Amino acid sequence: MSGLKPLIAGNWKMHGRRANLEEIPALIRETGAALSRVEVVVCPPAPYIEAARAHIGGAAIAVGGQDCSPVSADAARTGEVSAGMLRDAGASFVIVGHSERRSLLGETDDLVRQKANAANAAGLAPIVCVGETQAQRADGKAAEVVAAQVAASTPDDPAGLVVAYEPVWAIGGDRTPTAEEIAEIHGVVRAELSRRYGKAGEAVRILYGGSVNAKNAKEILAIDGVDGALVGRACLKAADFSAIVLAAPGAR
Ligand code: PGA
């Protein structure tokens, strides 16, 4: 870990219903005082953002969206949700460029950067996701691919920016990279952020994502250059997600 405050973000993806928001009070109970030492963000599907905020009440948990439109102004964009609307509903973060959107919906680095810029314009902190595929890693191109994604999909202004390194092959399965592989790519991301933003790049938190769970979180979060985690499946149950929050360095 660097000196940055750890950030643990939970990405519900397209899982759950309103009833699942009951996990939030449990998360607050189970994490307790750690919420002052670790920043925690829950990213439910857009229709539940406002209700998530209500369940959080005065606790120090932030809410994030999972995507936003690249268009900031109100416009004829059926089905799109703007960053300003997410903010209005109570979000303060938004995930952009998740690999599921890049691969299933063809989102490009350029589109992701526009979304990150729209997030900034609305006062949301973008969590920009990057990561190589299995084939790219096998070709020895992981570092090159990730550096290029960071260069092309991060916003013009680094204010509030978070980057999540999520190797595509580690998401949704049971494989994670070795500690050395994670440290190496986090170093690549940090170098690219410094190149792009100068000193301001040092304040950008770099999360690891991809099969983080209650068992492996402590080891992953202790890796040099890892400033937190972006968690998928293991964020859906308060017991697992709180264990990950409590595994962050300095949480207890
Ligand atoms: P996972 O998903 O933790 O279920 O592997 C992580 C992500 O896609 O953000």
Side-chain angles (χ1 to χ4, degrees):
M1 299 281 300
S2 57
L4 303 171
K5 189 174 188 178
L7 173 68
I8 309 292
N11 172 13
W12 283 33
K13 309 191 179 184
M14 200 173 77
H15 293 293
R17 293 289 184 275
R18 187 173 291 269
N20 295 72
L21 294 167
E22 294 307 330
E23 296 294 319
I24 291 176
L27 176 67
I28 295 168
R29 276 195 307 277
E30 289 165 30
T31 47
L35 291 178
S36 64
R37 301 189 275 264
V38 180
E39 200 166 347
V40 176
V41 188
V42 293
C43 304
Y48 303 127
I49 286 177
E50 196 148 4
R53 268 254 55 94
H55 278 73
I56 290 166
I61 293 181
V63 180
Q66 298 177 12
D67 179 48
C68 67
S69 172
V71 178
S72 290
D74 284 10
R77 292 284 191 286
T78 303
E80 289 276 274
V81 175
S82 71
M85 292 168 183
L86 294 175
R87 169 107 189 155
D88 196 28
S92 44
F93 286 81
V94 62
I95 298 168
V96 292
H98 190 280
S99 69
E100 286 150 14
R101 301 192 64 85
R102 287 178 184 262
S103 67
L104 299 171
L105 302 169
E107 293 199 0
T108 61
D109 286 338
D110 192 49
L111 179 64
V112 175
R113 185 174 37 75
Q114 289 174 45
K115 290 182 174 198
N117 280 337
N120 268 344
L124 295 182
I127 301 175
V128 176
C129 302
V130 296
E132 83 285 359
T133 63
Q134 178 65 66
Q136 289 165 332
R137 176 160 285 273
D139 273 359
K141 296 213 161 64
E144 187 186 319
V145 165
V146 170
Q149 286 178 335
V150 172
S153 28
T154 48
D156 302 337
D157 180 347
L161 174 62
V162 177
V163 172
Y165 167 54
E166 299 204 299
V168 177
W169 52 274
I171 294 175
D174 53 12
R175 289 190 304 155
T176 55
T178 64
E180 291 70 29
E181 287 167 339
I182 293 175
E184 185 211 344
I185 302 296
H186 277 240
V188 167
V189 174
R190 179 64 68 204
E192 193 54 41
L193 290 169
S194 294
R195 198 191 59 75
R196 182 148 162 68
Y197 301 119
K199 189 118 185 79
E202 292 169 20
V204 176
R205 283 173 293 188
I206 308 172
L207 313 183
Y208 170 77
S211 295
V212 176
N213 58 42
K215 283 204 179 73
N216 63 21
K218 197 170 171 60
E219 193 192 336
I220 290 173
L221 291 167
I223 296 170
D224 200 31
V226 173
D227 305 312
L230 178 54
V231 182
R233 284 156 296 165
C235 81
L236 297 170
K237 288 274 167 271
D240 294 324
F241 195 46
S242 59
I244 295 169
V245 172
L246 292 169
R252 292 172 190 268

